[in-house]
Amino acid sequence: MKIVVLGGTGRIGARVVALLAERGHEAVAASRSTGVDAVAGTGLDAAFDGADVVVDATESSAWDEAGVIEFFTAATGNVLAAEDRVGVGHHVALSIVGIDRNPEARGYLAGKVVQERLVAESAVPSTIVRATQFFEFLPQIADASTVDGEVRIGTALMQPVAAEAVARALADAAEARTAGAVEVAGPERAPLAEFLRRDLSDRGDARAVVVDPAAGYFGRVVGETSLVPVRDDAVIDPVGYEEWRAAS
């Protein structure tokens, strides 16, 4: 199959391209560096010509709520419209575990709510791959949660996963072309504060992690299980934090 990967030169997208190529597919990386701009809507028709599947692994360059919503509204709308024009058979989107249970989510998560809604409303058959937070993003979470030198985080549970496992789930979804949703997570479930403490310690960062129920997650209070999988058929990758750290 010809499979186009939007964001195909990024953290997840590049891994997806490599995996699909190893499996014998014509995997095409599409990004602004290759002349494809989903937000502007340029280069999409040419990139999608002859494609059986499009995998959307794009990441917003903005993190504020308004900017993220604007990004996903424009990018997802343009991509789906181009797929419909060209005749792409299936769309695979990367999202976040819990988005379907948090329709009023704020901040960055609000943009993913918009993205999922647009995908669901499209005429193009689709699969949504919802992943928990990546191990690779723990430092960014700590930085975003730092106030006066302390990392202040809420009480939500987390079940982080390696980026490699997320890329594999996207590649699997592209091959299967089964409409619906998939959840993917790591093997360990614990308070986010615990993972942040381990990561900071391993990186020699002396910042203290303070559990503050009012602090929430990226500025929003979320339920204890809002960010972990609840589906019985969730894909649980066996790579835990210690194995991921040793490999990275």
Side-chain angles (χ1 to χ4, degrees), residues 79-95:
V79 167
L80 293 168
E83 289 174 355
D84 191 41
R85 285 194 301 271
V86 175
V88 173
H90 202 83
H91 177 91
V92 177
L94 174 59
S95 190

Side-chain angles (χ1 to χ4, degrees), residues 168-180:
R168 190 162 52 249
L170 287 167
D172 291 346
E175 287 187 314
R177 300 177 63 173
T178 302

Side-chain angles (χ1 to χ4, degrees), residues 85-202:
R85 285 194 301 271
V86 175
V88 173
H90 202 83
H91 177 91
V92 177
L94 174 59
S95 190
I96 300 171
V97 162
I99 289 300
D100 55 318
R101 292 176 269 132
N102 291 278
E104 303 302 320
R106 310 301 301 176
Y108 186 88
L109 303 181
K112 303 302 284 187
V113 170
V114 170
Q115 180 186 28
E116 286 207 13
R117 176 177 56 78
L118 291 172
V119 171
E121 293 173 352
S122 171
V124 181
S126 62
T127 307
I128 295 177
V129 176
R130 299 186 180 113
T132 55
Q133 189 57 267
F134 309 159
F135 289 125
E136 288 83 353
F137 275 124
L138 290 173
Q140 286 93 323
I141 296 173
D143 291 344
S145 305
T146 297
V147 179
D148 296 330
E150 293 181 333
V151 179
R152 306 191 71 85
I153 200 72
T155 58
L157 295 172
M158 188 62 75
Q159 200 168 332
V161 66
E164 188 67 33
V166 177
R168 190 162 52 249
L170 287 167
D172 291 346
E175 287 187 314
R177 300 177 63 173
T178 302
V182 178
E183 290 186 335
V184 58
E188 304 172 65
R189 179 176 297 194
L192 176 55
E194 182 177 317
F195 286 108
L196 291 177
R197 289 189 182 104
R198 292 163 71 181
D199 188 64
L200 288 169
S201 175
D202 287 344

Side-chain angles (χ1 to χ4, degrees), residues 49-74:
D49 185 36
D52 300 286
V53 183
V54 169
V55 177
D56 186 355
T58 54
E59 297 180 10
S60 172
S61 57
W63 282 87
D64 64 289
E65 182 173 323
V68 175
I69 289 175
E70 181 179 359
F71 174 88
F72 282 112
T73 299

